Amino acid sequence: MTLEEEKEFKQKIQETIIPLAVNMTEEQIKNIIQTVEKANENLPRGFGSMLFEQIMIHKYNMRNK
């Protein structure tokens, strides 16, 4: 992933996922990611883990503001 793609990816997480994830537990977020991974076998290996990590970073940063 290029730096520009990474920046865009993080921005999309912030805009679309974080407003929903902020009120969810870690387990709920993991379950949704696992469901999406099972339904989309063409996702790169490790994508779900990377996405979960980014969600947690954003969620943590929002709580500490």
Side-chain angles (χ1 to χ4, degrees):
M1 194 180 287
T2 67
L3 290 176
E4 183 63 31
E5 289 171 330
E6 186 176 329
K7 182 180 175 183
E8 186 176 321
F9 177 69
K10 289 178 181 180
Q11 183 178 355
K12 289 293 180 186
I13 291 171
Q14 183 69 32
E15 293 171 359
T16 60
I17 297 174
I18 296 304
L20 301 171
V22 73
N23 295 316
M24 297 172 74
T25 66
E26 287 186 29
E27 192 63 35
Q28 289 172 320
I29 295 167
K30 286 179 184 178
N31 287 338
I32 291 172
I33 291 172
Q34 288 173 351
T35 300
V36 171
E37 283 183 312
K38 288 178 185 175
N40 297 283
E41 295 177 2
N42 60 332
L43 288 175
R45 186 173 186 186
F47 179 81
S49 297
M50 179 185 64
L51 179 59
F52 179 75
E53 180 180 290
Q54 289 300 312
I55 291 169
M56 291 293 100
I57 289 169
H58 285 289
K59 189 173 174 176
Y60 176 78
N61 287 338
M62 286 183 70
R63 287 184 180 165
N64 291 324
K65 285 187 176 182

